[in-house]
Amino acid sequence: PSQCDLLCSQNYPLYIRSVPTENELKFHYTVHTSLDVVDEKISAMGKALVDQRELYLGLLYPTEDYKVYGYVTNSKVKFVMVVDSSNTALRDNEIRSMFRKLHNSYTDIMCNPFYNPGDRIHSRAFDTMVNSMMMQVC
Amino acid sequence: MEGVTLSEAEQRYYCDLFSYCDTESTKKVASNGRVLELFRAAQLPNDVVMQIMELCGATRLGYFGRSQFYIALKLVAVAQSGLPLRVESLNTVKDLPLPRFVVSKNEQESRHTALYSSDAENPASYSGVIPPPPPGRIQGKKGSVSHDAVQQRTSTDQQESTSPIVSPQQSPPTSPHTWRKHNRHPSGGNNERPLAGPGPFWAPFSEVQPGSSTSSDPIWSGHSPPPHQENWVSFADTPPTSALLAMHPASVQDQTTVRTVASATTANEIRRQSSSYDDPWKITDEQRQYYVNQFKTIQPDLNGFIPGSAAKEFFTKSKLPILELSHIWELSDFDKDGALTLDEFCAAFHLVVARKNGYDLPEKLPESLMPKLIDLEDSTVGEQTGEVGYSGSPAEAPPSKSPSMPSLNQTWPELNQSSEDTAIVHPVPIRMTPSKIHMQEMELKRTGSDHANPTSPLLVKPSDLPEENKMGSSVKFTSGNTVTDGYSSSDSYTSDPEQIGNAVTRQRSHSGTSPDNTAPPPPPPRPHASHSRSSSLDMNRSFSVTPGQQQAGVVAYPPAVPPRPQPSQGAGPHVHRSVDADGLIAHTSTSPQQIPEQPNFADFSQFEAFAVSGVNKEEEDEIETHPEVLQVEKPSDSASSLRVAKADGRVEDKAPANVPSSAGKGTTPLAPPPKPIRRRLKSEDELRPEAEEHTQKTGVIAAVLASQPSIPRSVGKDKKAIQASIRRNKETNTVLARLNSELQQQLKDVLEERISLEVQLEQLRPFSHL
């Protein structure tokens, strides 16, 4: 069980995908609470320099059931990933690569002139990518 | 998951289908795209498919595990048999025929039918059943599928009116349910449009009909995938459905009205019947011409781009929902640059037209619509492969972003993979060559530098070479006046400047480094080996400079000029002379030694000093020899004397034993071909620090030596001066002896490392050509 969230700068979600689909509410709640941690990390960065490493926020906080990972883009679009703690096989590198893929797909979406930033994301390609990614996680 | 009992044939069949759907070879999950394709091919009503999916549990899980897949297949068979879908029906229904799936007729059919033809249980079921062809194929081969369908359905032409309604319903499942559903309805409505003769554009679609509906499905949006039912819905059982499918495209075609073009309906119909097995998404010439004209209205230059905003305006005029337009853009903007080239624009336009005519948008860009990149068409092996590539790619999440639209191009996934591969292969250490460069640089530097800074090139080199080099470079630097420089440089690289500091007055503690920094022409990664190589170069040069006196040993060097200080190995000892501390780095040190020595040639006094300080055992010998060689007169004497002194205070027998002639022997332990060592050193960072230390030490020694009054270079020096220098050298010798012991210790350690590295090298050797 895991969830992948994409939130915009105003912290409302642009895209949410959970696998499986039950207990979504719990995931939503988790993501929302983790936003605080994300904001804290963003403000801590402070300076203008934004490089790849800083985009990846790492493990935001672990609970007994799941771990939450964060990633923020230069435009303050946040990616939050909640994964099951039982999935110990997931390494940091894998999480990073997943975020990178998410970021790449998100950029693809932004290139679409028909997409207005701030809209919910309905891209099929994005869905596909996220699905495949989450399959690997679960 | 409810238990499912499968007969043997069922088991086999389902297993096959599962592996077919298991595009990602997970062995656990059937790719949703494939599963969708399969269910499409089952020709079941959409709601039945949904029901099946829910029943098998895929909806709950979100994916198709093997058990879900099997259950779904069974349910498909049940549904195809006309039985109500119930969980209990899974096990209670006996003698279910195998689920039937409409398959594109090509080789897949023949293949699969051959596979299953042997199954006596359901011979009939196999006749028309073919495991769904690769999703890609379906997309590409819409025509092919339709062919079969068409052939079978010629009689069902009259069902056209009804089929369009049915087919769109079946196709919806494929597209993301979210907005697909929206499309469903419009498409249904479209289908009912009177056959107005859409115009030439849709001719190809007629053939494709079944394919088109299937093509739109491939991607599973995470919605409960149509359960992969084992219902062996016999094709014969549902001819109407297939007919519907077949007819749908045709009807759609007829019904589609080109948005802007008054169609030649007759032409359409003719095309429809004449086109056979064509890619439904192929753009006809007329269509293409029309698209090109439209492109020109926006962008006169056919090789130019249409910016996203202009394209947005243009396509918004088509009054398609933004969501669909967004999807069309995703499909057609192949390179993801936010602009449309002519090909991309034509593809987008074609998709828009198709959509307006009721065709569901494919999940992946059909092959025929892909931008005609250079090798695209060549690389795609027919539509099937292209399609396969497409279907497989979405799940791959291509590593690289830019041309990474996996679904769009068969080659892209390859590219991505290749990039991945290259990335994987990339990290191979590259240090092999630098030596040559290093040496050349050294030579250049040397020529350019005066005596005072014979080591400057050496210094520079270290800058190029990473730590490893530092060792050698620092050693080299020690030669000549710039010994301190060498030390300093070595200091900068190495971590134990203390020794150096103790032993040597760092006159230019960082002068050495500065030259390095100022003149770092070669790329940083300089392996130790470079030292050796460079030293060989140095040697060559120095030898050439000096009168060939005892160049016996040195002679070996000149040939070593070429990148590998191989010869330097033999001549290594000579070279090492100046390098001193490179004992361990021996082979690498050989080169550095050589290099430094070259400068040394110019500066005989330095040679002497080095000779005295010869840290490395081999170096000692070599250095001694060098001094001999280089120094014509007193230098040689002093050198020899120094050497002797050194030998006494030094480590060991190496010195005496390793008199120049035996250059190689002292280094024997270290002498394993410098290449391997070099390589080893290059690849082994551990050595670098050691080397650095050694270089430091050598640098220290060199510095010590350098600190001593420079031995007059000129040949005919005064004896007194020589003796004075000898005294000084002896003092230095004691210091150096101390250093030597320390270095010896290090040497032993390094030797051990070397042995282990060599072992590793040998182990890796078979893979060296990867």
Side-chain angles (χ1 to χ4, degrees):
Chain A
S2 60
Q3 188 187 41
C4 183
D5 265 6
L6 212 164
L7 306 111
C8 82
S9 57
Q10 278 78 36
N11 286 343
Y12 61 80
L14 299 178
Y15 183 85
I16 299 177
R17 169 62 52 85
S18 306
V19 174
T21 50
E22 301 107 3
N23 286 339
E24 260 202 79
L25 206 55
K26 186 180 88 165
F27 285 136
H28 287 253
Y29 169 72
T30 312
V31 168
H32 205 73
T33 56
S34 65
L35 284 178
D36 281 340
V37 186
V38 173
D39 284 339
E40 173 193 330
K41 286 193 188 267
I42 295 180
S43 58
M45 282 190 208
K47 316 98 217 154
L49 56 95
V50 192
D51 63 342
Q52 176 72 18
R53 268 161 291 284
E54 294 190 13
L55 296 182
Y56 176 68
L57 303 176
L59 184 63
L60 297 179
Y61 67 85
T63 70
E64 61 188 20
D65 289 336
Y66 46 81
K67 304 196 192 72
V68 183
Y69 294 92
Y71 182 98
V72 66
T73 71
N74 296 339
S75 54
K76 295 292 180 285
V77 173
K78 305 166 188 70
F79 299 87
V80 178
M81 202 176 316
V82 180
V83 293
D84 206 21
S85 283
S86 58
N87 195 345
T88 54
L90 264 187
R91 295 195 321 269
D92 193 58
N93 283 341
E94 295 173 12
I95 302 282
R96 271 183 203 267
S97 70
M98 288 167 75
F99 276 128
R100 209 171 306 124
K101 284 188 223 169
L102 274 174
H103 197 173
N104 286 339
S105 300
Y106 178 70
T107 331
D108 285 341
I109 289 176
M110 292 301 275
C111 285
N112 191 331
F114 297 102
Y115 173 76
N116 302 313
D119 289 351
R120 298 297 291 263
I121 293 177
H122 297 284
S123 153
R124 273 187 254 183
F126 192 79
D127 285 343
T128 315
M129 189 275 304
V130 172
N131 282 335
S132 66
M133 222 170 60
M134 306 200 62
M135 293 302 216
Q136 297 170 5
V137 171
C138 298
Chain B
M1 204 53 49
E2 310 82 353
V4 171
T5 55
L6 302 177
S7 68
E8 185 188 331
E10 283 177 331
Q11 183 76 20
R12 234 181 311 137
Y13 186 53
Y14 294 174
C15 194
D16 250 10
L17 287 174
F18 186 80
S19 10
Y20 167 72
C21 287
D22 190 9
T23 50
E24 297 182 22
S25 301
T26 60
K27 300 280 188 287
K28 286 189 189 143
V29 175
S31 145
N32 283 339
R34 288 283 177 89
V35 170
L36 278 175
E37 292 274 354
L38 196 66
F39 291 150
R40 290 264 142 271
Q43 303 176 340
L44 296 170
N46 204 23
D47 52 354
V48 172
V49 169
M50 301 289 302
Q51 201 178 351
I52 290 173
M53 280 170 44
E54 286 179 24
L55 278 176
C56 80
T59 323
R60 178 162 46 85
L61 286 179
Y63 60 85
F64 270 111
R66 190 174 279 270
S67 56
Q68 286 82 44
F69 189 74
Y70 286 6
I71 291 174
L73 282 173
K74 191 134 196 177
L75 289 172
V76 166
V78 168
Q80 285 179 339
S81 307
L83 301 171
L85 288 180
R86 294 282 184 273
V87 171
E88 41 280 7
S89 63
L90 283 179
N91 293 329
T92 54
V93 178
K94 306 291 181 202
D95 298 330
L96 261 188
L98 292 177
R100 284 180 177 264
F101 302 97
V102 180
V103 186
S104 60
K105 44 182 204 178
N106 2 25
E107 44 270 31
Q108 280 250 341
E109 290 179 325
S110 50
R111 247 184 284 129
H112 291 282
T113 44
L115 269 181
Y116 293 107
S117 56
S118 58
D119 188 342
E121 284 185 7
N122 298 292
S125 60
Y126 294 120
S127 57
V129 179
I130 294 173
R137 165 173 320 198
I138 287 190
Q139 282 190 351
K141 293 285 184 198
K142 298 184 198 169
S144 58
V145 175
S146 57
H147 298 314
D148 292 335
V150 170
Q151 292 161 4
Q152 297 175 13
R153 306 206 194 111
T154 46
S155 58
T156 57
D157 281 347
Q158 59 276 14
Q159 299 178 12
E160 283 188 23
S161 54
T162 55
S163 60
I165 303 175
V166 177
S167 45
Q169 289 172 3
Q170 294 202 3
S171 45
T174 55
S175 55
H177 296 272
T178 51
W179 70 268
R180 271 273 175 206
K181 289 171 187 164
H182 310 316
N183 301 336
R184 281 300 120 186
H185 310 310
S187 57
N190 292 344
N191 295 334
E192 291 165 353
R193 265 182 284 163
L195 302 181
F201 300 87
W202 309 113
F205 286 102
S206 55
E207 266 57 25
V208 187
Q209 309 164 4
S212 61
S213 51
T214 54
S215 63
S216 50
D217 313 337
I219 302 260
W220 194 248
S221 62
H223 202 93
S224 55
H228 200 94
Q229 301 179 354
E230 304 170 354
N231 297 339
W232 295 313
V233 182
S234 65
F235 205 61
D237 294 342
T238 60
T241 359
S242 55
L244 288 176
L245 286 178
M247 303 318 299
H248 174 54
S251 55
V252 172
Q253 245 192 2
D254 296 341
Q255 296 166 356
T256 55
T257 50
V258 178
R259 182 168 51 155
T260 55
V261 176
S263 57
T265 60
T266 52
N268 243 6
E269 291 168 355
I270 292 173
R271 287 228 192 87
R272 208 178 341 144
Q273 289 157 13
S274 59
S275 63
S276 50
Y277 316 9
D278 278 344
D279 182 4
W281 294 103
K282 192 177 295 181
I283 304 178
T284 67
D285 291 339
E286 300 171 17
Q287 290 173 320
R288 182 142 187 112
Q289 193 52 46
Y290 179 70
Y291 297 156
V292 171
N293 291 338
Q294 291 295 311
F295 184 91
K296 283 191 196 150
T297 62
I298 307 176
Q299 164 69 280
D301 176 19
L302 286 184
N303 289 326
F305 293 91
I306 290 186
S309 49
K312 176 175 179 178
E313 290 174 29
F314 182 79
F315 287 114
T316 310
K317 288 188 257 177
S318 70
K319 301 206 181 36
L320 283 181
I322 293 288
L323 208 51
E324 300 187 15
L325 290 173
S326 175
H327 186 67
I328 288 175
W329 177 276
E330 264 181 24
L331 291 177
S332 56
D333 188 5
F334 196 72
D335 47 8
K336 295 283 174 224
D337 59 356
L340 296 181
T341 64
L342 181 59
D343 282 333
E344 291 173 345
F345 177 82
C346 291
F349 207 138
H350 200 63
L351 287 170
V352 168
V353 174
R355 188 75 198 94
K356 287 215 76 108
N357 284 297
Y359 276 92
D360 293 320
L361 293 178
E363 293 296 333
K364 299 172 281 249
L365 192 65
E367 209 175 285
S368 54
L369 290 181
M370 301 250 293
K372 302 299 177 269
L373 302 181
I374 301 178
D375 296 329
L376 259 189
E377 287 155 343
D378 301 338
S379 57
T380 54
V381 182
E383 294 176 350
Q384 302 164 20
T385 47
E387 293 297 355
V388 175
Y390 305 149
S391 59
S393 51
E396 290 170 2
S400 63
K401 180 181 181 298
S402 52
S404 60
M405 190 80 154
S407 57
L408 294 188
N409 190 349
Q410 185 186 11
T411 57
W412 289 121
E414 297 166 358
L415 289 178
N416 295 335
Q417 292 158 12
S418 60
S419 65
E420 279 176 325
D421 294 341
T422 54
I424 294 170
V425 178
H426 170 78
V428 177
I430 313 179
R431 315 269 180 95
M432 306 311 287
T433 51
S435 65
K436 184 171 195 175
I437 302 172
H438 192 93
M439 294 200 291
Q440 290 171 355
E441 293 173 4
M442 293 287 294
E443 283 187 303
L444 288 175
K445 301 248 163 41
R446 235 170 295 120
T447 50
S449 64
D450 55 9
H451 290 309
N453 291 313
T455 60
S456 56
L458 296 174
L459 292 175
V460 177
K461 282 191 193 166
S463 64
D464 302 334
L465 307 172
E467 315 80 337
E468 293 175 350
N469 295 334
K470 296 184 188 167
M471 284 273 311
S473 55
S474 59
V475 175
K476 301 177 218 165
F477 297 144
T478 56
S479 68
N481 302 330
T482 53
V483 168
T484 54
D485 290 348
Y487 291 131
S488 55
S489 57
S490 62
D491 293 342
S492 59
Y493 302 119
T494 60
S495 52
D496 49 7
E498 301 82 12
Q499 298 173 359
I500 297 176
N502 297 338
V504 183
T505 50
R506 305 244 198 117
Q507 297 135 12
R508 305 160 257 210
S509 52
H510 299 288
S511 55
T513 50
S514 43
D516 300 339
N517 300 334
T518 53
R526 287 301 184 86
H528 274 302
S530 58
H531 280 318
S532 53
R533 284 182 278 224
S534 55
S535 54
S536 63
L537 277 179
D538 295 342
M539 288 308 299
N540 294 330
R541 284 197 16 172
S542 55
F543 281 117
S544 61
V545 171
T546 62
Q549 299 87 357
Q550 297 123 12
Q551 297 184 359
V554 180
V555 173
Y557 294 116
V561 179
R564 287 311 165 143
Q566 282 292 352
S568 63
Q569 293 197 358
H574 299 285
V575 179
H576 290 306
R577 151 171 85 85
S578 57
V579 176
D580 291 342
D582 288 342
L584 280 184
I585 315 213
H587 312 287
T588 54
S589 57
T590 55
S591 53
Q593 292 171 355
Q594 291 173 352
I595 297 172
E597 294 197 324
Q598 290 181 3
N600 294 338
F601 290 116
D603 186 359
F604 294 137
S605 58
Q606 291 172 2
F607 282 137
E608 289 179 355
F610 287 123
V612 175
S613 62
V615 174
N616 295 331
K617 315 168 223 176
E618 310 104 12
E619 295 176 358
E620 290 182 65
D621 308 329
E622 297 176 342
I623 292 173
E624 296 172 354
T625 55
H626 285 311
E628 291 178 321
V629 175
L630 300 177
Q631 300 164 7
V632 179
E633 310 170 356
K634 73 161 168 111
S636 54
D637 299 339
S638 52
S640 47
S641 61
L642 288 173
R643 234 176 301 147
V644 173
K646 264 184 141 161
D648 301 339
R650 276 303 246 237
V651 174
E652 26 274 354
D653 6 83
K654 297 261 176 132
N658 292 344
V659 171
S661 54
S662 57
K665 49 179 175 334
T667 55
T668 14
L670 304 173
K675 251 182 211 175
I677 293 182
R678 228 174 296 125
R679 218 182 304 152
R680 184 168 52 99
L681 292 173
K682 289 182 203 170
S683 49
E684 311 288 359
D685 291 349
E686 323 126 30
L687 287 183
R688 287 199 218 107
E690 303 248 359
E692 296 172 10
E693 290 178 6
H694 289 292
T695 28
Q696 279 182 348
K697 293 202 174 144
T698 55
V700 173
I701 295 171
V704 172
L705 294 174
S707 62
Q708 300 174 2
S710 58
I711 301 170
R713 309 232 186 108
S714 57
V715 174
K717 224 2 167 296
D718 196 7
K719 266 198 181 175
K720 286 183 190 167
I722 295 171
Q723 287 163 359
S725 63
I726 290 175
R727 275 197 301 280
R728 285 191 300 272
N729 288 331
K730 282 186 181 166
E731 292 166 13
T732 310
N733 201 25
T734 53
V735 174
L736 292 173
R738 246 180 297 128
L739 273 177
N740 192 34
S741 53
E742 294 173 20
L743 287 170
Q744 291 302 322
Q745 196 59 41
Q746 287 186 9
L747 178 64
K748 286 177 189 142
D749 297 337
V750 173
L751 276 174
E752 285 179 13
E753 285 182 31
R754 202 189 85 186
I755 291 170
S756 66
L757 286 171
E758 282 176 336
V759 169
Q760 289 179 23
L761 181 68
E762 284 307 313
Q763 289 171 356
L764 292 172
R765 207 174 275 284
F767 308 103
S768 62
H769 296 296
L770 285 181

